[in-house]
Amino acid sequence: MSGFCKLTSTRFFWLQASSKEQTRLNHNSNHKEHRKQKDASSSSTYSAFRQWRRGTSMGSNRSNSVGSSSTGALTKLSNDPATIQKMEQFPLVLSDTTMPEEDLSLKFLALNALDLTAPASDVLLKNRLKSWFQLSGHPDGFAPAGPGTVWKRKTGGAENTERMVYEALSKDKELRDCIPRYYREVEYKGDTFIELQDLLFGFNDPHVMDIKMGTRTFLESEVSKTTARPDLYQKMIAVDPNAPTMQEHEQRAVTKLRYMQFREQQSSTCSHGFRIEAMKLPGGPPITDLKKVKSHQEVLDTMKLFLGTCKITREKLLARLKNLRSKIEISEYFKTHEIIGSSIFMIYDNDKVGVWLIDFAKTRELPNGHRLTHRKPWEQGNHEEGFLFGLDNLISIIEEVNLSNA
């Protein structure tokens, strides 16, 4: 994933202001009565919804008995056409890894309260636009989905690589607590999404940082072509007119590999094995102009700004990062996969801290039994991406902040 934040609690109640006090009181009274009736209705349809949802999520290849029980559940709701319509439009579950029953039921109640047909709808986005922001990544890549979850648009090609990685890591006893909780893959209005834990759920106006890991953030397949391209030359000189070599100036073209390596050199990616993509401090907007933070001092100063003055918080973040490193070092999955373009997502507020590994669209299984150290320098064909090299340096930077602020 790239990063995402929620600024307000997920409460689904509102009142219409009135100029007359009596009107306001009457409205409040009517509203409370309406809520009681609606809550009662939701409660009465609760078990039927769960039974119906289990049936529809199993798909057409399952036993016909499921369909009959689903129909029976809907029959119980025959006097509530609006609810039936909502349930019929609830997104199709494509993966066998489905939401826990209690979470799915909670989602239904929330949607019912908002009078919506599905998460990620236009109505939801318009009503909650001010409550959400996306820290980095594609601007249309995320949408709020319900209490404690987000939808992320399908990435990683036709096979949906990211879903496959999340499903694999969710079964890994050591690593499943180091990633957002994965619920399911869903299809909604022609688009495919994966539903993930909202990492900001339960935090109160926290500090947030998205850190892109590795000494390269491009796949070897992306730079396999050696044809020099004029468009990439133009992109390069727009950033730095002196960057091309004399030969490249004469050709007015550069290869994809040359351009990608040039781009990585504009940040701390090559030197430190990570770059700070974006961060947010309490009470302020996201800070996204950090991709050119390059020198050690610039990285250190940015990290100092993020970490603040609470030494206990820094120690907790360090402990989580070191725990993550230990788990990755012994992980068979990591030894047999290159992890390109993934991020570490760090969050903390006055009460708690969180560190997660996110974004797996460019994760690839290694060919021919190849194994990685994640620390060796990259050479074409060795698949090393420097993930652990970057994690080592990230830990060292935070330790340096601790010492300088002690």
Side-chain angles (χ1 to χ4, degrees):
M1 110 199 88
S2 309
F4 41 88
C5 301
K6 184 163 63 176
L7 300 179
T8 61
S9 60
T10 50
R11 298 182 183 273
F12 302 101
F13 306 93
W14 60 87
L15 295 175
Q16 180 70 37
S18 174
S19 59
K20 296 182 179 180
E21 182 64 16
Q22 186 60 46
T23 302
R24 185 185 68 81
L25 292 173
N26 289 340
H27 175 82
N28 288 351
S29 177
N30 292 336
H31 178 79
K32 289 178 181 178
E33 183 61 29
H34 173 74
R35 292 300 307 174
K36 288 180 180 179
Q37 294 173 357
K38 196 164 188 179
D39 288 345
S41 174
S42 295
S43 178
S44 67
T45 63
Y46 180 84
S47 60
F49 170 76
R50 287 187 298 173
Q51 186 179 6
W52 173 84
R53 191 57 225 164
R54 283 196 299 269
T56 57
S57 66
M58 288 180 180
S60 57
N61 295 328
R62 305 300 176 110
S63 168
N64 289 334
S65 62
V66 171
S68 62
S69 65
S70 172
T71 302
L74 281 176
T75 301
K76 295 179 183 179
L77 302 177
S78 59
N79 293 327
D80 189 0
T83 300
I84 294 175
Q85 184 180 21
K86 287 178 195 174
M87 296 197 303
E88 289 174 341
Q89 295 181 21
F90 205 86
L92 174 65
V93 177
L94 303 179
S95 170
D96 286 335
T97 307
T98 56
M99 294 181 67
E101 199 169 90
E102 65 274 13
D103 290 345
L104 188 56
S105 300
L106 178 62
K107 179 182 290 291
F108 169 70
L109 294 177
L111 294 172
N112 195 41
L114 276 174
D115 197 27
L116 300 176
T117 58
S121 69
D122 292 339
V123 177
L124 180 60
L125 293 177
K126 288 176 182 177
N127 275 283
R128 302 181 66 191
L129 182 61
K130 294 181 180 179
S131 300
W132 286 77
F133 72 87
Q134 186 178 328
L135 197 60
S136 61
H138 296 292
D140 60 348
F142 290 92
T149 66
V150 294
W151 279 11
K152 183 177 183 182
R153 196 177 299 276
K154 175 181 176 180
T155 55
E159 67 278 12
N160 200 347
T161 298
E162 191 153 39
R163 173 186 61 79
M164 296 168 63
V165 176
Y166 270 113
E167 289 188 345
L169 293 180
S170 294
K171 298 173 184 177
D172 188 310
K173 292 181 179 179
E174 291 296 322
L175 289 171
R176 63 188 177 195
D177 291 334
C178 300
I179 61 171
R181 187 176 181 182
Y182 169 76
Y183 292 106
R184 58 177 183 157
E185 182 180 77
V186 295
E187 186 174 275
Y188 180 62
K189 292 187 176 180
D191 280 327
T192 303
F193 303 83
I194 57 174
E195 185 159 5
L196 300 169
Q197 172 190 0
D198 173 12
L199 297 179
L200 267 293
F201 189 75
F203 283 87
N204 182 27
D205 197 13
H207 294 69
V208 188
M209 180 176 278
D210 183 345
I211 305 167
K212 187 72 68 178
M213 301 301 296
T215 52
R216 66 181 170 97
T217 59
F218 55 88
L219 293 166
E220 292 191 355
S221 59
E222 292 181 89
V223 296
S224 58
K225 294 182 180 180
T226 58
T227 304
R229 292 170 48 179
D231 60 321
L232 298 181
Y233 170 82
Q234 293 298 326
K235 288 184 177 182
M236 180 181 285
I237 62 175
V239 176
D240 183 357
N242 299 317
T245 64
M246 185 177 297
Q247 181 179 4
E248 288 168 343
H249 275 306
E250 291 175 355
Q251 294 179 339
R252 300 186 65 80
V254 297
T255 65
K256 181 70 174 289
L257 174 58
R258 173 77 171 93
Y259 173 73
M260 295 298 284
Q261 289 180 318
F262 161 77
R263 194 179 69 175
E264 306 286 40
Q265 290 165 356
Q266 302 306 300
S267 68
S268 59
T269 289
C270 292
S271 59
H272 288 67
F274 71 85
R275 69 171 182 252
I276 301 172
E277 287 279 285
M279 70 175 178
K280 184 188 179 303
L281 305 178
I287 303 170
T288 58
D289 57 343
L290 298 172
K291 293 182 180 179
K292 290 192 176 182
V293 171
K294 180 177 180 179
S295 71
H296 185 79
Q297 190 60 51
E298 289 173 332
V299 174
L300 185 62
D301 290 343
T302 305
M303 193 61 69
K304 283 182 179 179
L305 180 62
F306 171 72
L307 293 173
T309 58
C310 182
K311 188 172 182 180
I312 294 177
T313 295
R314 296 197 298 271
E315 292 295 343
K316 288 180 179 179
L317 288 171
L318 270 175
R320 289 181 179 266
L321 288 168
K322 290 178 179 179
N323 180 57
L324 175 62
R325 178 172 62 182
S326 296
K327 291 181 176 182
I328 290 174
E329 285 175 329
I330 64 174
S331 168
E332 189 65 22
Y333 189 91
F334 271 75
K335 289 176 182 176
T336 57
H337 289 76
E338 58 179 322
I339 314 297
I340 303 294
S342 290
S343 291
I344 286 178
F345 201 61
M346 299 198 301
I347 315 166
Y348 73 91
D349 61 13
N350 292 332
D351 300 315
K352 51 189 175 292
V353 303
V355 172
W356 288 275
L357 182 59
I358 62 173
D359 296 341
F360 300 106
K362 291 186 177 182
T363 294
R364 297 291 186 273
E365 186 174 7
L366 300 173
N368 305 321
H370 197 89
R371 297 170 78 84
L372 295 183
T373 69
H374 301 285
R375 287 188 171 101
K376 290 181 180 179
W378 174 65
E379 298 175 0
Q380 189 90 33
N382 76 354
H383 296 279
E384 292 283 356
E385 82 302 68
F387 185 98
L388 283 174
F389 171 74
L391 186 49
D392 291 338
N393 283 321
L394 176 59
I395 290 171
S396 294
I397 284 282
I398 296 178
E399 289 176 333
E400 190 173 345
V401 171
N402 277 351
L403 290 173
S404 62
N405 285 7

